[in-house]
Amino acid sequence: MPSADEILQTMRELQERREAAAQPLVDILAKRSRLLEQLAELDEPYGKAYVDAESAGWTPEELAKLGADEPVKRPRVRSRRSRLSARTTGGQSSGPATESSSPADGIPSQNGAAAADGATLGTASS
């Protein structure tokens, strides 16, 4: 019967072989992780470039023929309506403004009536 030392030595040898076999996988996983991070960093500029190309007159079909797939995430674009609203009000709400006021304060309620004194939206007034 093997001694405790012999069993431990056999166990260590087995573990070393397992670690050696996993090392290439660990190296590839680390490289893959770095590449995925680099790819994620390109998502935003790719989306912007795609939208810019569409704005210049390229159709999604034409861009696809060039090998440009539609971006997964399109850049966030403020609507013209919100830019005009900010310009006409000077970027301020009609009520007293505070730094912590919600951007939703000036949004009309779902029934089309504007919120009366900046009260929380979604409250019904009869």
Side-chain angles (χ1 to χ4, degrees):
M1 175 134 204
S3 70
D5 289 336
E6 292 171 332
I7 294 171
L8 288 173
Q9 182 60 32
T10 302
M11 183 187 70
R12 286 185 194 105
E13 290 170 3
L14 287 170
Q15 187 63 27
E16 285 174 11
R17 279 188 249 148
R18 290 178 57 182
E19 287 180 22
Q23 190 62 49
L25 177 61
V26 170
D27 294 339
I28 290 171
L29 283 172
K31 185 177 182 178
R32 183 175 186 266
S33 178
R34 285 190 308 270
L35 290 171
L36 287 172
E37 287 173 6
Q38 290 174 347
L39 183 60
E41 290 171 5
L42 292 175
D43 282 345
E44 185 178 339
Y46 178 79
K48 182 179 180 336
Y50 189 94
V51 168
D52 289 347
E54 282 184 316
S55 296
W58 289 90
T59 65
E61 293 79 21
E62 291 170 327
L63 292 169
K65 287 178 184 177
L66 296 173
D69 296 328
E70 188 167 348
V72 175
K73 291 184 180 180
R74 287 184 167 265
R76 299 179 94 193
V77 179
R78 288 181 56 185
S79 70
R80 179 184 161 117
R81 176 181 234 172
S82 65
R83 286 192 307 259
L84 288 175
S85 174
R87 256 190 242 142
T88 57
T89 63
Q92 298 178 358
S93 66
S94 57
T98 63
E99 297 253 343
S100 63
S101 66
S102 168
D105 288 346
I107 299 174
S109 64
Q110 289 183 346
N111 65 5
D117 65 14
T120 305
L121 296 176
T123 57
S125 59
S126 300

